[in-house]
Amino acid sequence: MRRLLIALLCAAFAVAIVSVSATTAAPGHAQAAKKKCKKSKKAVAAKKCKKHGATTTPPSGGSGGTTSPTPPLDTDGDGVPDSTDNCVSMSNADQADADADGHGDVCDTCPLIANPGTASCPPTLTDLSTSTEICEGHIDEAAGTVTLSAPAVGDTFVAVTSGDNSKVTITNGGTTVLNAQTTGTVFMSGIAQGGPVTITAALNGGPTQTSDISVIACM
Ligand SMILES: [Ca+2]
Ligand SMILES: [Ca+2]
């Protein structure tokens, strides 16, 4: 009887130990299993990325990312940014501006006469035409015409000079193009026979126009 009781106690004790070891070992085993699963998932994802040629990027906001500055706008691609280009729509790397009005020569409608900002080009002298001949002894003969590129704003005086005052003189030193007109008549006097004599017209010191005239004997 005593032996039987001892045997039963031992059996009960053994069952208890097995039960306790089973309950305490379970969490550790579960954690190990979870870790293994997590690693396995990462490995699968990495393999998938590699297969599609993608690379992993650091999370945004971290210290690993860098941004390059946006280059300034250069519409005509001449190397001069729009913000400082004197001709934004046409390439002019040299930025040439003969009349220094801020409009580059290549897109300045009047490159030799300053028209800063939105100002239109002022009228300029475009032509001087004279008779081929003028009569000796004729005084104040209408023998020439000057032409402006646009109607004069106010009365505009055009200076005209003779290359040889002993043969041809210019009455009043030139002619006046009246307000809103584009032409003016040049009066001359024939002094002595000879020629050709070069006549020159100039407006406000700008480009000049020239023409030749001779003095002949007239009946
Ligand atoms: Ca440019
Ligand atoms: Ca200019």
Side-chain angles (χ1 to χ4, degrees), residues 134 137-144 146 157-162 165 167-176 184-191 199-200 213:
I134 187 173
H138 282 216
I139 308 299
D140 295 341
E141 187 170 350
V146 294
F157 183 74
V158 181
V160 181
T161 55
S162 168
N165 283 308
K167 296 185 173 66
V168 176
T169 60
I170 309 299
T171 305
N172 299 325
T175 183
T176 298
T185 301
V186 180
F187 292 89
M188 307 176 194
S189 298
I191 306 300
I199 308 299
T200 302
I213 193 169

PDB file of all heavy atoms in Angstrom, residues 134 137-144 146 157-162 165 167-176 184-191 199-200 213:
ATOM      1  N   ILE A 134      21.194 121.445-110.702  1.00  0.00           N
ATOM      2  CA  ILE A 134      20.570 122.682-110.236  1.00  0.00           C
ATOM      3  C   ILE A 134      21.112 123.806-111.137  1.00  0.00           C
ATOM      4  O   ILE A 134      22.251 123.738-111.608  1.00  0.00           O
ATOM      5  CB  ILE A 134      20.901 122.949-108.750  1.00  0.00           C
ATOM      6  CG1 ILE A 134      20.124 124.142-108.215  1.00  0.00           C
ATOM      7  CG2 ILE A 134      22.384 123.121-108.524  1.00  0.00           C
ATOM      8  CD1 ILE A 134      20.305 124.317-106.696  1.00  0.00           C
ATOM      9  N   GLY A 137      22.838 130.369-110.718  1.00  0.00           N
ATOM     10  CA  GLY A 137      22.156 131.648-110.569  1.00  0.00           C
ATOM     11  C   GLY A 137      20.744 131.536-110.019  1.00  0.00           C
ATOM     12  O   GLY A 137      20.120 132.542-109.681  1.00  0.00           O
ATOM     13  N   HIS A 138      20.244 130.333-109.884  1.00  0.00           N
ATOM     14  CA  HIS A 138      18.890 130.181-109.323  1.00  0.00           C
ATOM     15  C   HIS A 138      18.963 130.219-107.804  1.00  0.00           C
ATOM     16  O   HIS A 138      19.768 129.511-107.185  1.00  0.00           O
ATOM     17  CB  HIS A 138      18.241 128.867-109.794  1.00  0.00           C
ATOM     18  CG  HIS A 138      17.724 128.948-111.200  1.00  0.00           C
ATOM     19  ND1 HIS A 138      16.568 128.310-111.615  1.00  0.00           N
ATOM     20  CD2 HIS A 138      18.207 129.590-112.298  1.00  0.00           C
ATOM     21  CE1 HIS A 138      16.361 128.552-112.902  1.00  0.00           C
ATOM     22  NE2 HIS A 138      17.352 129.340-113.354  1.00  0.00           N
ATOM     23  N   ILE A 139      18.133 131.057-107.183  1.00  0.00           N
ATOM     24  CA  ILE A 139      18.145 131.228-105.733  1.00  0.00           C
ATOM     25  C   ILE A 139      16.976 130.472-105.108  1.00  0.00           C
ATOM     26  O   ILE A 139      15.847 130.531-105.593  1.00  0.00           O
ATOM     27  CB  ILE A 139      18.037 132.723-105.371  1.00  0.00           C
ATOM     28  CG1 ILE A 139      19.105 133.535-106.141  1.00  0.00           C
ATOM     29  CG2 ILE A 139      18.188 132.930-103.864  1.00  0.00           C
ATOM     30  CD1 ILE A 139      20.541 133.152-105.847  1.00  0.00           C
ATOM     31  N   ASP A 140      17.267 129.777-104.007  1.00  0.00           N
ATOM     32  CA  ASP A 140      16.249 129.041-103.239  1.00  0.00           C
ATOM     33  C   ASP A 140      15.414 128.122-104.123  1.00  0.00           C
ATOM     34  O   ASP A 140      14.190 128.154-104.138  1.00  0.00           O
ATOM     35  CB  ASP A 140      15.320 130.018-102.486  1.00  0.00           C
ATOM     36  CG  ASP A 140      16.089 130.804-101.430  1.00  0.00           C
ATOM     37  OD1 ASP A 140      17.198 130.343-101.052  1.00  0.00           O
ATOM     38  OD2 ASP A 140      15.593 131.845-101.000  1.00  0.00           O
ATOM     39  N   GLU A 141      16.112 127.307-104.844  1.00  0.00           N
ATOM     40  CA  GLU A 141      15.429 126.352-105.712  1.00  0.00           C
ATOM     41  C   GLU A 141      15.075 125.101-104.891  1.00  0.00           C
ATOM     42  O   GLU A 141      15.922 124.566-104.153  1.00  0.00           O
ATOM     43  CB  GLU A 141      16.352 125.960-106.871  1.00  0.00           C
ATOM     44  CG  GLU A 141      15.684 125.096-107.913  1.00  0.00           C
ATOM     45  CD  GLU A 141      16.574 124.953-109.159  1.00  0.00           C
ATOM     46  OE1 GLU A 141      17.604 125.658-109.284  1.00  0.00           O
ATOM     47  OE2 GLU A 141      16.221 124.116-110.003  1.00  0.00           O
ATOM     48  N   ALA A 142      13.846 124.622-105.019  1.00  0.00           N
ATOM     49  CA  ALA A 142      13.429 123.394-104.323  1.00  0.00           C
ATOM     50  C   ALA A 142      14.068 122.219-105.038  1.00  0.00           C
ATOM     51  O   ALA A 142      13.581 121.747-106.060  1.00  0.00           O
ATOM     52  CB  ALA A 142      11.906 123.273-104.335  1.00  0.00           C
ATOM     53  N   ALA A 143      15.190 121.756-104.496  1.00  0.00           N
ATOM     54  CA  ALA A 143      15.960 120.755-105.227  1.00  0.00           C
ATOM     55  C   ALA A 143      16.237 119.484-104.427  1.00  0.00           C
ATOM     56  O   ALA A 143      17.026 118.643-104.838  1.00  0.00           O
ATOM     57  CB  ALA A 143      17.288 121.364-105.672  1.00  0.00           C
ATOM     58  N   GLY A 144      15.562 119.328-103.284  1.00  0.00           N
ATOM     59  CA  GLY A 144      15.814 118.113-102.511  1.00  0.00           C
ATOM     60  C   GLY A 144      14.698 117.803-101.531  1.00  0.00           C
ATOM     61  O   GLY A 144      13.865 118.660-101.205  1.00  0.00           O
ATOM     62  N   VAL A 146      13.937 115.474 -97.784  1.00  0.00           N
ATOM     63  CA  VAL A 146      14.359 114.542 -96.730  1.00  0.00           C
ATOM     64  C   VAL A 146      13.133 113.743 -96.288  1.00  0.00           C
ATOM     65  O   VAL A 146      12.004 114.233 -96.330  1.00  0.00           O
ATOM     66  CB  VAL A 146      14.971 115.268 -95.511  1.00  0.00           C
ATOM     67  CG1 VAL A 146      16.270 115.959 -95.891  1.00  0.00           C
ATOM     68  CG2 VAL A 146      13.979 116.243 -94.900  1.00  0.00           C
ATOM     69  N   PHE A 157      13.678 119.806 -87.131  1.00  0.00           N
ATOM     70  CA  PHE A 157      14.645 120.413 -88.056  1.00  0.00           C
ATOM     71  C   PHE A 157      15.688 119.387 -88.491  1.00  0.00           C
ATOM     72  O   PHE A 157      16.250 118.654 -87.667  1.00  0.00           O
ATOM     73  CB  PHE A 157      15.361 121.598 -87.394  1.00  0.00           C
ATOM     74  CG  PHE A 157      16.314 122.301 -88.310  1.00  0.00           C
ATOM     75  CD1 PHE A 157      15.841 123.122 -89.327  1.00  0.00           C
ATOM     76  CD2 PHE A 157      17.690 122.135 -88.177  1.00  0.00           C
ATOM     77  CE1 PHE A 157      16.724 123.774 -90.190  1.00  0.00           C
ATOM     78  CE2 PHE A 157      18.575 122.782 -89.033  1.00  0.00           C
ATOM     79  CZ  PHE A 157      18.086 123.600 -90.044  1.00  0.00           C
ATOM     80  N   VAL A 158      15.914 119.318 -89.808  1.00  0.00           N
ATOM     81  CA  VAL A 158      16.932 118.415 -90.355  1.00  0.00           C
ATOM     82  C   VAL A 158      18.039 119.285 -90.955  1.00  0.00           C
ATOM     83  O   VAL A 158      17.791 120.083 -91.873  1.00  0.00           O
ATOM     84  CB  VAL A 158      16.345 117.494 -91.442  1.00  0.00           C
ATOM     85  CG1 VAL A 158      17.425 116.556 -91.980  1.00  0.00           C
ATOM     86  CG2 VAL A 158      15.170 116.684 -90.883  1.00  0.00           C
ATOM     87  N   ALA A 159      19.245 119.126 -90.424  1.00  0.00           N
ATOM     88  CA  ALA A 159      20.377 119.923 -90.913  1.00  0.00           C
ATOM     89  C   ALA A 159      20.866 119.367 -92.249  1.00  0.00           C
ATOM     90  O   ALA A 159      21.022 118.160 -92.410  1.00  0.00           O
ATOM     91  CB  ALA A 159      21.516 119.893 -89.890  1.00  0.00           C
ATOM     92  N   VAL A 160      21.099 120.292 -93.204  1.00  0.00           N
ATOM     93  CA  VAL A 160      21.606 119.876 -94.522  1.00  0.00           C
ATOM     94  C   VAL A 160      22.818 120.745 -94.843  1.00  0.00           C
ATOM     95  O   VAL A 160      22.795 121.969 -94.638  1.00  0.00           O
ATOM     96  CB  VAL A 160      20.523 120.039 -95.615  1.00  0.00           C
ATOM     97  CG1 VAL A 160      21.050 119.576 -96.977  1.00  0.00           C
ATOM     98  CG2 VAL A 160      19.266 119.253 -95.249  1.00  0.00           C
ATOM     99  N   THR A 161      23.875 120.113 -95.326  1.00  0.00           N
ATOM    100  CA  THR A 161      25.101 120.859 -95.635  1.00  0.00           C
ATOM    101  C   THR A 161      25.575 120.547 -97.050  1.00  0.00           C
ATOM    102  O   THR A 161      25.286 119.473 -97.591  1.00  0.00           O
ATOM    103  CB  THR A 161      26.229 120.503 -94.643  1.00  0.00           C
ATOM    104  OG1 THR A 161      26.411 119.086 -94.653  1.00  0.00           O
ATOM    105  CG2 THR A 161      25.894 120.951 -93.232  1.00  0.00           C
ATOM    106  N   SER A 162      26.313 121.499 -97.602  1.00  0.00           N
ATOM    107  CA  SER A 162      26.862 121.328 -98.950  1.00  0.00           C
ATOM    108  C   SER A 162      28.341 120.991 -98.857  1.00  0.00           C
ATOM    109  O   SER A 162      29.075 121.551 -98.029  1.00  0.00           O
ATOM    110  CB  SER A 162      26.683 122.628 -99.752  1.00  0.00           C
ATOM    111  OG  SER A 162      27.448 122.580-100.945  1.00  0.00           O
ATOM    112  N   ASN A 165      30.444 124.968-100.830  1.00  0.00           N
ATOM    113  CA  ASN A 165      29.582 126.147-100.762  1.00  0.00           C
ATOM    114  C   ASN A 165      29.864 127.153-101.869  1.00  0.00           C
ATOM    115  O   ASN A 165      29.090 128.089-102.077  1.00  0.00           O
ATOM    116  CB  ASN A 165      29.718 126.829 -99.392  1.00  0.00           C
ATOM    117  CG  ASN A 165      28.957 126.065 -98.317  1.00  0.00           C
ATOM    118  OD1 ASN A 165      27.779 125.771 -98.480  1.00  0.00           O
ATOM    119  ND2 ASN A 165      29.630 125.729 -97.226  1.00  0.00           N
ATOM    120  N   LYS A 167      29.830 126.351-104.897  1.00  0.00           N
ATOM    121  CA  LYS A 167      28.985 125.927-106.018  1.00  0.00           C
ATOM    122  C   LYS A 167      27.516 125.797-105.622  1.00  0.00           C
ATOM    123  O   LYS A 167      26.613 126.142-106.382  1.00  0.00           O
ATOM    124  CB  LYS A 167      29.471 124.570-106.576  1.00  0.00           C
ATOM    125  CG  LYS A 167      30.881 124.637-107.183  1.00  0.00           C
ATOM    126  CD  LYS A 167      31.259 123.308-107.822  1.00  0.00           C
ATOM    127  CE  LYS A 167      32.597 123.441-108.567  1.00  0.00           C
ATOM    128  NZ  LYS A 167      33.732 123.713-107.643  1.00  0.00           N
ATOM    129  N   VAL A 168      27.262 125.235-104.401  1.00  0.00           N
ATOM    130  CA  VAL A 168      25.873 125.055-103.933  1.00  0.00           C
ATOM    131  C   VAL A 168      25.784 125.506-102.480  1.00  0.00           C
ATOM    132  O   VAL A 168      26.625 125.118-101.658  1.00  0.00           O
ATOM    133  CB  VAL A 168      25.421 123.578-104.020  1.00  0.00           C
ATOM    134  CG1 VAL A 168      24.015 123.406-103.442  1.00  0.00           C
ATOM    135  CG2 VAL A 168      25.490 123.062-105.450  1.00  0.00           C
ATOM    136  N   THR A 169      24.779 126.312-102.169  1.00  0.00           N
ATOM    137  CA  THR A 169      24.526 126.651-100.762  1.00  0.00           C
ATOM    138  C   THR A 169      23.119 126.172-100.389  1.00  0.00           C
ATOM    139  O   THR A 169      22.226 126.099-101.252  1.00  0.00           O
ATOM    140  CB  THR A 169      24.626 128.169-100.496  1.00  0.00           C
ATOM    141  OG1 THR A 169      23.670 128.849-101.306  1.00  0.00           O
ATOM    142  CG2 THR A 169      26.020 128.685-100.811  1.00  0.00           C
ATOM    143  N   ILE A 170      22.964 125.843 -99.110  1.00  0.00           N
ATOM    144  CA  ILE A 170      21.681 125.332 -98.612  1.00  0.00           C
ATOM    145  C   ILE A 170      20.954 126.474 -97.905  1.00  0.00           C
ATOM    146  O   ILE A 170      21.489 127.082 -96.955  1.00  0.00           O
ATOM    147  CB  ILE A 170      21.892 124.157 -97.628  1.00  0.00           C
ATOM    148  CG1 ILE A 170      22.831 123.101 -98.243  1.00  0.00           C
ATOM    149  CG2 ILE A 170      20.554 123.543 -97.214  1.00  0.00           C
ATOM    150  CD1 ILE A 170      22.339 122.467 -99.517  1.00  0.00           C
ATOM    151  N   THR A 171      19.751 126.779 -98.335  1.00  0.00           N
ATOM    152  CA  THR A 171      18.970 127.855 -97.729  1.00  0.00           C
ATOM    153  C   THR A 171      18.567 127.488 -96.300  1.00  0.00           C
ATOM    154  O   THR A 171      18.087 126.385 -96.047  1.00  0.00           O
ATOM    155  CB  THR A 171      17.702 128.107 -98.580  1.00  0.00           C
ATOM    156  OG1 THR A 171      18.102 128.362 -99.933  1.00  0.00           O
ATOM    157  CG2 THR A 171      16.918 129.297 -98.039  1.00  0.00           C
ATOM    158  N   ASN A 172      18.793 128.411 -95.362  1.00  0.00           N
ATOM    159  CA  ASN A 172      18.419 128.222 -93.945  1.00  0.00           C
ATOM    160  C   ASN A 172      19.167 127.074 -93.259  1.00  0.00           C
ATOM    161  O   ASN A 172      18.788 126.648 -92.179  1.00  0.00           O
ATOM    162  CB  ASN A 172      16.911 128.012 -93.799  1.00  0.00           C
ATOM    163  CG  ASN A 172      16.108 129.207 -94.299  1.00  0.00           C
ATOM    164  OD1 ASN A 172      16.545 130.366 -94.154  1.00  0.00           O
ATOM    165  ND2 ASN A 172      14.984 128.947 -94.925  1.00  0.00           N
ATOM    166  N   GLY A 173      20.188 126.525 -93.907  1.00  0.00           N
ATOM    167  CA  GLY A 173      20.980 125.461 -93.272  1.00  0.00           C
ATOM    168  C   GLY A 173      20.267 124.132 -93.155  1.00  0.00           C
ATOM    169  O   GLY A 173      20.765 123.208 -92.496  1.00  0.00           O
ATOM    170  N   GLY A 174      19.108 124.025 -93.827  1.00  0.00           N
ATOM    171  CA  GLY A 174      18.404 122.738 -93.767  1.00  0.00           C
ATOM    172  C   GLY A 174      16.930 122.902 -94.019  1.00  0.00           C
ATOM    173  O   GLY A 174      16.508 123.840 -94.698  1.00  0.00           O
ATOM    174  N   THR A 175      16.139 122.010 -93.461  1.00  0.00           N
ATOM    175  CA  THR A 175      14.694 122.063 -93.678  1.00  0.00           C
ATOM    176  C   THR A 175      13.956 121.601 -92.424  1.00  0.00           C
ATOM    177  O   THR A 175      14.525 120.871 -91.602  1.00  0.00           O
ATOM    178  CB  THR A 175      14.275 121.184 -94.875  1.00  0.00           C
ATOM    179  OG1 THR A 175      12.875 121.320 -95.108  1.00  0.00           O
ATOM    180  CG2 THR A 175      14.591 119.720 -94.612  1.00  0.00           C
ATOM    181  N   THR A 176      12.718 122.022 -92.300  1.00  0.00           N
ATOM    182  CA  THR A 176      11.888 121.607 -91.155  1.00  0.00           C
ATOM    183  C   THR A 176      10.805 120.641 -91.623  1.00  0.00           C
ATOM    184  O   THR A 176      10.034 120.961 -92.547  1.00  0.00           O
ATOM    185  CB  THR A 176      11.237 122.830 -90.490  1.00  0.00           C
ATOM    186  OG1 THR A 176      12.268 123.684 -89.983  1.00  0.00           O
ATOM    187  CG2 THR A 176      10.317 122.406 -89.365  1.00  0.00           C
ATOM    188  N   GLY A 184      10.316 116.767 -95.791  1.00  0.00           N
ATOM    189  CA  GLY A 184      10.577 118.199 -95.803  1.00  0.00           C
ATOM    190  C   GLY A 184      11.342 118.542 -97.073  1.00  0.00           C
ATOM    191  O   GLY A 184      12.133 117.726 -97.571  1.00  0.00           O
ATOM    192  N   THR A 185      11.118 119.762 -97.580  1.00  0.00           N
ATOM    193  CA  THR A 185      11.761 120.174 -98.830  1.00  0.00           C
ATOM    194  C   THR A 185      13.037 120.958 -98.540  1.00  0.00           C
ATOM    195  O   THR A 185      13.069 121.823 -97.658  1.00  0.00           O
ATOM    196  CB  THR A 185      10.806 121.056 -99.663  1.00  0.00           C
ATOM    197  OG1 THR A 185       9.630 120.298 -99.934  1.00  0.00           O
ATOM    198  CG2 THR A 185      11.450 121.483-100.980  1.00  0.00           C
ATOM    199  N   VAL A 186      14.099 120.605 -99.294  1.00  0.00           N
ATOM    200  CA  VAL A 186      15.388 121.275 -99.114  1.00  0.00           C
ATOM    201  C   VAL A 186      15.550 122.298-100.247  1.00  0.00           C
ATOM    202  O   VAL A 186      15.451 121.950-101.429  1.00  0.00           O
ATOM    203  CB  VAL A 186      16.548 120.262 -99.164  1.00  0.00           C
ATOM    204  CG1 VAL A 186      17.888 120.996 -98.974  1.00  0.00           C
ATOM    205  CG2 VAL A 186      16.360 119.189 -98.096  1.00  0.00           C
ATOM    206  N   PHE A 187      15.785 123.575 -99.856  1.00  0.00           N
ATOM    207  CA  PHE A 187      15.989 124.631-100.856  1.00  0.00           C
ATOM    208  C   PHE A 187      17.478 124.931-100.961  1.00  0.00           C
ATOM    209  O   PHE A 187      18.202 124.985 -99.965  1.00  0.00           O
ATOM    210  CB  PHE A 187      15.212 125.893-100.449  1.00  0.00           C
ATOM    211  CG  PHE A 187      13.714 125.721-100.517  1.00  0.00           C
ATOM    212  CD1 PHE A 187      12.990 125.255 -99.434  1.00  0.00           C
ATOM    213  CD2 PHE A 187      13.025 126.034-101.702  1.00  0.00           C
ATOM    214  CE1 PHE A 187      11.611 125.098 -99.502  1.00  0.00           C
ATOM    215  CE2 PHE A 187      11.644 125.877-101.787  1.00  0.00           C
ATOM    216  CZ  PHE A 187      10.935 125.399-100.685  1.00  0.00           C
ATOM    217  N   MET A 188      17.925 125.144-102.239  1.00  0.00           N
ATOM    218  CA  MET A 188      19.345 125.370-102.494  1.00  0.00           C
ATOM    219  C   MET A 188      19.503 126.521-103.493  1.00  0.00           C
ATOM    220  O   MET A 188      18.576 126.872-104.210  1.00  0.00           O
ATOM    221  CB  MET A 188      19.993 124.113-103.090  1.00  0.00           C
ATOM    222  CG  MET A 188      19.769 122.856-102.273  1.00  0.00           C
ATOM    223  SD  MET A 188      20.477 121.392-103.105  1.00  0.00           S
ATOM    224  CE  MET A 188      19.701 120.082-102.173  1.00  0.00           C
ATOM    225  N   SER A 189      20.705 127.058-103.518  1.00  0.00           N
ATOM    226  CA  SER A 189      21.029 128.080-104.503  1.00  0.00           C
ATOM    227  C   SER A 189      22.220 127.609-105.317  1.00  0.00           C
ATOM    228  O   SER A 189      23.201 127.111-104.746  1.00  0.00           O
ATOM    229  CB  SER A 189      21.381 129.418-103.824  1.00  0.00           C
ATOM    230  OG  SER A 189      20.266 129.897-103.095  1.00  0.00           O
ATOM    231  N   GLY A 190      22.108 127.743-106.660  1.00  0.00           N
ATOM    232  CA  GLY A 190      23.218 127.377-107.532  1.00  0.00           C
ATOM    233  C   GLY A 190      24.158 128.562-107.679  1.00  0.00           C
ATOM    234  O   GLY A 190      23.757 129.608-108.175  1.00  0.00           O
ATOM    235  N   ILE A 191      25.384 128.455-107.248  1.00  0.00           N
ATOM    236  CA  ILE A 191      26.313 129.580-107.251  1.00  0.00           C
ATOM    237  C   ILE A 191      27.163 129.601-108.524  1.00  0.00           C
ATOM    238  O   ILE A 191      27.259 130.617-109.208  1.00  0.00           O
ATOM    239  CB  ILE A 191      27.232 129.528-106.012  1.00  0.00           C
ATOM    240  CG1 ILE A 191      26.380 129.434-104.738  1.00  0.00           C
ATOM    241  CG2 ILE A 191      28.155 130.743-105.965  1.00  0.00           C
ATOM    242  CD1 ILE A 191      25.423 130.571-104.507  1.00  0.00           C
ATOM    243  N   ILE A 199      25.750 116.552-101.046  1.00  0.00           N
ATOM    244  CA  ILE A 199      24.849 117.187-100.077  1.00  0.00           C
ATOM    245  C   ILE A 199      24.594 116.171 -98.965  1.00  0.00           C
ATOM    246  O   ILE A 199      24.306 114.997 -99.233  1.00  0.00           O
ATOM    247  CB  ILE A 199      23.509 117.582-100.747  1.00  0.00           C
ATOM    248  CG1 ILE A 199      23.764 118.419-102.024  1.00  0.00           C
ATOM    249  CG2 ILE A 199      22.618 118.313 -99.762  1.00  0.00           C
ATOM    250  CD1 ILE A 199      24.505 119.722-101.785  1.00  0.00           C
ATOM    251  N   THR A 200      24.695 116.617 -97.720  1.00  0.00           N
ATOM    252  CA  THR A 200      24.525 115.704 -96.577  1.00  0.00           C
ATOM    253  C   THR A 200      23.423 116.198 -95.650  1.00  0.00           C
ATOM    254  O   THR A 200      23.375 117.385 -95.310  1.00  0.00           O
ATOM    255  CB  THR A 200      25.842 115.595 -95.783  1.00  0.00           C
ATOM    256  OG1 THR A 200      26.884 115.139 -96.651  1.00  0.00           O
ATOM    257  CG2 THR A 200      25.696 114.608 -94.611  1.00  0.00           C
ATOM    258  N   ILE A 213      24.802 116.444-106.367  1.00  0.00           N
ATOM    259  CA  ILE A 213      24.092 117.368-107.260  1.00  0.00           C
ATOM    260  C   ILE A 213      25.136 118.188-108.033  1.00  0.00           C
ATOM    261  O   ILE A 213      26.242 118.449-107.512  1.00  0.00           O
ATOM    262  CB  ILE A 213      23.136 118.287-106.458  1.00  0.00           C
ATOM    263  CG1 ILE A 213      22.171 119.030-107.387  1.00  0.00           C
ATOM    264  CG2 ILE A 213      23.901 119.277-105.577  1.00  0.00           C
ATOM    265  CD1 ILE A 213      21.053 119.734-106.641  1.00  0.00           C
TER     266      ILE A 213
END
